[in-house]
Amino acid sequence: EYLAGEEAVRLFEQRVGDSQRVVHDRAREIRQIDGGFEAITDHHGAYQATAVIVATGASPIPLDVPGADEFLGQGLGYSPTTHAHLAEGKIVAVIGHTVRALRGAAELAQTAARLYVIAPEPSLFTLPLAESLRERPNVEIIAGARVVEIAGSFNVEEIVVEQGATKRRLPVDLAFVDLGLYANSGPVRDLLDLGPGMFIPVDEHNATRVPGLFAAGNVFLPKNEAERARCKSVVEEIIVEQGQRL
């Protein structure tokens, strides 16, 4: 089982046990000081600690075209699997070139009246999951295309795509985007050499190159399920050890 960043925070709160010692705030910056770290928060000043677990998660890479901001939450979203129940009988588009986008499309295809899968990177569609999507009569895969506009009145009504010299206006009821993720690692960006997508590099103990600084959840990317399970075990051990010191 994968230990998400939010779950790591809850587990740590349980270990601390005293609600007066739990502060709900945003850490703007983590600094290294003698003997540990200092967290600079938005509303509660600075806190010192001997160890820090960064569990700030990751955010979706936004679609940067006209209409994308305007229609966010008005028929446009970034989590197809979470909102798959809304797709029944609807015309839906999935925009993205990630495996998650394909998985979301596969779930939506079960109930959507029509499903467009749009991606600028055609190599993704050589995967077996993409091949199975091609066989569904309600699915159209548009590979090597890019979205240039999201249009509508009050909600998403059309997606404008360009494929070579061809421009199409696709009528849709819902659209979901998955262009990948970037890590919310800003508070430690001055302490670490961050990887692609701002993800935090860690070793087999979930430790960074800075002693006492660890990462959990989506702020770093486990390579496989075995690493996810190891992540959970290691972070739980860190939480128990630090909780005993409080």
Side-chain angles (χ1 to χ4, degrees), residues 17 21-22 42 62 69 80 183 187 193 201 216 223:
R21 302 172 77 179
V22 176
D42 279 345
D69 291 339
D193 295 323
K223 296 177 183 178

Side-chain angles (χ1 to χ4, degrees), residues 19-81:
S19 62
Q20 293 183 353
R21 302 172 77 179
V22 176
V23 176
H24 295 276
D25 202 343
R26 177 179 177 270
R28 297 197 313 269
E29 182 184 359
I30 305 297
R31 300 172 180 169
Q32 209 169 5
I33 60 174
D34 290 341
F37 302 90
E38 184 175 62
I40 310 301
T41 69
D42 279 345
H43 305 292
H44 292 82
Y47 289 88
Q48 288 76 43
T50 56
V52 170
I53 302 172
V54 182
T56 46
S59 298
I61 296 173
L63 179 65
D64 185 18
V65 300
D69 291 339
E70 178 184 353
F71 292 107
L72 181 61
Q74 303 296 320
L76 179 69
Y78 284 84
S79 182
T81 54

